[in-house]
Amino acid sequence: MRLVRLRAPGGLGNLDLVEEDPPQPGPGEVLVRIRACALNLRDDFAVHGKTPFADGRVPLSDGAGEVIAVGGDVDAFKPGDSVVSVFYPWWLDGDMTPSTRRDIPGESFDGFASEYVCMPAHAFTRAPAGYTHVEAATLTCTGVTAWRGLVVCGKVKPGDTVLVLGTGSVSLFALQFAKAAGARVIATSSDERKLERLKRLGADTVINYNSVPDWGQKVRDLTDGRGVDHVIEVGGPATLAQSIKACRTGGHIALIGVLTGFAAEVSIPALFSNQIRISGISIGSRADQEDMIRAIEAIRLKPVVDRHFPLQDIATAFAHYESQKHFGKVCLEV
């Protein structure tokens, strides 16, 4: 089988395509023929050695394909089933604990940039009916993150107003989930072409944050001074203050991203005096993913895919991802 191994110290030039024997499933395991993978920011960090990794690690946390064989004691899947990976294989349900967040594919153990993988059955869920493998591969990280931030923790409801920042895949999924829930969506970008695409995807109002630096106040103006019910906060230090300004009294901020850094000054009085609730979102549980997939099938949501590359062009795929010219997921076909 073909697979990619990342050699120390990392970098796109150290992604090696190699041939190895395929694994065989043991008790409780499934053998999956991976057909597609998706790229995420944390994969980019890992590939460039910004997070620790073992020499020779197989990268990528998101994979989809079909079950080829099952080991003993596996009754959740059968050969031929279409499946998609789970980000935290040991976080099955409920709240995250230190023990359930201990293993992440592509970081603490080999990921999905491989034609075949053998993992415990609970490392997968079924894929949505009617999805291609490329579409299914988009769900593991960004889809579940948007779902947990907006639906599980945010409890979005019809009539709410949701602010999504930028055009990353978490924001695009959140936009789609919000519209399906009957919410109004305000979206931001610095690219006029992307703003037009956001409107075509369903955004009710868009703001160019380069033209309107005080976009938090603009959001309040657009909501008659009330502010939004939910903010999908993916920017981090450079955007958090504006997100707080945009949020209504008693509103909710799903704190997800670190696109602008890892530390920020926060106005504590602005939070407690307005009773703003902040939820730290780190993907979600296997049960969250299963709930999301049932919803996706009910509302017939389709993910936004920018481009997909063959496995051997994984370095080119990462270069395209890093260019920030994409709109939607960058994927690999395996």
Side-chain angles (χ1 to χ4, degrees), residues 264-303:
E265 290 189 8
V266 177
S267 172
I268 302 300
L271 293 174
F272 68 68
S273 64
N274 290 298
Q275 300 184 42
I276 292 173
R277 179 169 59 95
I278 295 182
S279 301
I281 306 298
S282 179
I283 325 298
S285 68
R286 186 177 190 272
D288 291 334
Q289 182 162 309
E290 290 179 316
D291 290 344
M292 178 193 69
I293 287 171
R294 283 192 291 271
I296 282 171
E297 292 176 333
I299 63 181
R300 299 182 180 179
L301 181 149
K302 285 286 190 176

Side-chain angles (χ1 to χ4, degrees), residues 41 45 233-240 255-265:
L41 181 62
F45 284 171
E233 169 52 67
V234 298
T239 57
L240 184 55
L255 188 58
I256 293 165
V258 291
L259 294 176
T260 63
F262 297 96
E265 290 189 8

Side-chain angles (χ1 to χ4, degrees), residues 41-298:
L41 181 62
R42 61 187 310 136
D43 297 312
D44 195 62
F45 284 171
V47 162
H48 285 285
K50 296 178 182 179
T51 56
F53 70 93
D55 185 37
R57 175 70 71 227
V58 178
L60 303 187
S61 63
D62 298 11
E66 71 263 9
V67 175
I68 300 299
V70 301
D73 302 322
V74 174
D75 55 14
F77 302 112
K78 64 183 184 303
D81 285 347
S82 292
V83 295
V84 56
S85 65
V86 172
F87 189 85
Y88 291 110
W90 301 98
W91 183 11
L92 304 184
D93 201 353
D95 293 331
M96 175 186 278
T97 67
S99 63
T100 59
R101 65 171 298 173
R102 68 184 188 272
D103 291 323
I104 299 172
E107 293 186 19
S108 51
F109 67 99
D110 284 345
F112 294 97
S114 176
E115 288 184 324
Y116 293 89
V117 300
C118 192
M119 293 186 186
H122 56 76
F124 298 91
T125 68
R126 67 180 183 87
Y131 262 38
T132 67
H133 295 305
V134 167
E135 290 170 337
T138 68
L139 300 175
T140 298
C141 187
T142 53
V144 176
T145 297
W147 175 264
R148 186 168 179 85
L150 192 60
V151 179
V152 180
C153 296
K155 303 188 185 307
V156 65
K157 63 185 186 299
D160 282 356
T161 302
V162 177
L163 172 63
V164 298
L165 306 186
T167 58
S169 293
V170 171
S171 296
L172 298 184
F173 271 115
L175 190 165
Q176 292 177 286
F177 289 141
K179 294 304 298 180
R184 175 191 179 190
V185 176
I186 301 172
T188 71
S189 176
S190 62
D191 186 316
E192 289 294 332
R193 290 173 297 179
K194 290 184 177 181
L195 288 169
E196 288 300 316
R197 296 188 69 176
L198 286 168
K199 288 193 286 188
R200 292 199 296 271
L201 197 60
D204 298 279
T205 308
V206 296
I207 302 170
N208 187 318
Y209 60 78
N210 275 350
S211 302
V212 187
D214 192 6
W215 47 265
Q217 183 59 50
K218 178 66 174 179
V219 169
R220 297 197 74 88
D221 294 342
L222 290 168
T223 55
D224 298 323
R226 180 177 183 269
V228 298
D229 300 279
H230 309 274
V231 182
I232 303 301
E233 169 52 67
V234 298
T239 57
L240 184 55
Q242 289 290 317
S243 291
I244 293 170
K245 181 183 288 190
C247 196
R248 72 165 172 85
T249 300
H252 172 244
I253 297 175
L255 188 58
I256 293 165
V258 291
L259 294 176
T260 63
F262 297 96
E265 290 189 8
V266 177
S267 172
I268 302 300
L271 293 174
F272 68 68
S273 64
N274 290 298
Q275 300 184 42
I276 292 173
R277 179 169 59 95
I278 295 182
S279 301
I281 306 298
S282 179
I283 325 298
S285 68
R286 186 177 190 272
D288 291 334
Q289 182 162 309
E290 290 179 316
D291 290 344
M292 178 193 69
I293 287 171
R294 283 192 291 271
I296 282 171
E297 292 176 333

